[in-house]
Amino acid sequence: MPEAYWNHNVHYQRLVLDLVPEGCERALDVGCGDGLLASRLAARVPLVTGADRNAEAVAMARRQHGHLDNVTFVECDYLDDPAGTLSEGKYDLVTAVAVLHHADFRQATDALARLLAPGGRLVVIGLGQDRSLVDWAVRLAGQAASHAMQLRHGRKRGPGVPAMDAVMPWGEIRRAARWLLPGCRFRRLLLRRYLLVWDKPR
């Protein structure tokens, strides 16, 4: 699948796609940005919704991917959705790439879990803050790998949607995830990201 551009988030979209559960009928990409991941999910899932609270991002997603019949882009905040734009308990897959660090971790994971259907899967690519010597060692290794990848893909680029730095340390995220989402899988990734996968009990 060709890439329109490359950055750390786009790099891990393939990992997200590999985790689409068998028989997935409805997927939701929270914080969809320009809609690239939602459009890629649409090749595997019959019905896909991309949601973002940023109006400019949603407009960009509609311009670039609105031609896809099985994708809908909506402007809404998954944490505060009084109109019920997003259907709680209806999605077989919920994805969130570089989203959770924009909110309180517990509030964010609770909201995403409510959106999942019983047996549905949550896939998060998230960011953490470097605090320990191990964190900085991983960061340095990741910077070297990122530089090599940039030479292959071109310099890092993005859609120009708002971003912010993480404030929650990696270890705290891991502990909170395992407490709030029992049975989840958590893995630190090289390019300053982590992978969190949780299957909601039926």
Side-chain angles (χ1 to χ4, degrees):
M1 185 179 298
E3 292 180 355
Y5 57 89
W6 183 87
N7 58 36
H8 293 173
N9 293 330
V10 173
H11 178 79
Y12 287 118
Q13 285 185 5
R14 292 180 184 274
L15 181 55
V16 174
L17 294 171
D18 288 343
L19 289 164
V20 173
E22 186 176 351
C24 181
E25 294 291 329
R26 298 182 67 182
L28 169 66
D29 183 33
V30 172
C32 67
D34 68 345
L36 181 59
L37 177 56
S39 72
R40 291 175 167 180
L41 286 168
R44 303 179 181 220
V45 182
L47 294 173
V48 178
T49 301
D52 204 297
R53 65 185 180 184
N54 183 275
E56 292 181 9
V58 173
M60 189 187 313
R62 288 172 177 164
R63 285 195 305 271
Q64 296 183 12
H65 308 290
H67 61 282
L68 298 172
D69 293 336
N70 63 329
V71 182
T72 302
F73 294 103
V74 296
E75 180 188 344
C76 72
D77 187 342
Y78 75 104
L79 293 171
D80 184 17
D81 182 26
T85 304
L86 304 179
S87 303
E88 289 195 3
K90 296 296 185 181
Y91 301 99
D92 303 308
L93 172 68
V94 174
T95 62
V97 176
V99 169
L100 263 67
H101 67 289
H102 289 253
D104 174 80
F105 188 82
R106 178 168 193 151
Q107 184 184 12
T109 53
D110 284 351
L112 294 174
R114 286 196 301 271
L115 292 166
L116 280 172
R121 174 169 291 173
L122 172 64
V123 179
V124 172
I125 301 291
L127 286 74
Q129 185 183 77
D130 298 317
R131 293 275 182 92
S132 69
L133 290 176
V134 172
D135 291 339
W136 285 102
V138 173
R139 178 171 184 157
L140 289 173
Q143 286 176 339
S146 178
H147 180 69
M149 292 176 188
Q150 286 180 56
L151 293 176
R152 187 171 69 215
H153 296 280
R155 66 181 181 85
K156 286 194 296 182
R157 299 182 300 278
V161 296
M164 64 180 292
D165 293 329
V167 297
M168 194 171 176
W170 301 98
E172 188 177 333
I173 295 169
R174 181 186 298 108
R175 289 189 294 273
R178 290 174 175 167
W179 173 258
L180 297 169
L181 303 170
C184 72
R185 290 169 276 165
F186 183 97
R187 178 159 59 98
R188 180 88 176 261
L189 303 171
L190 186 59
L191 301 181
R192 300 189 66 195
R193 301 291 185 272
Y194 65 82
L195 170 68
L196 170 62
V197 183
W198 181 66
D199 293 324
K200 185 174 184 176
R202 293 187 180 277

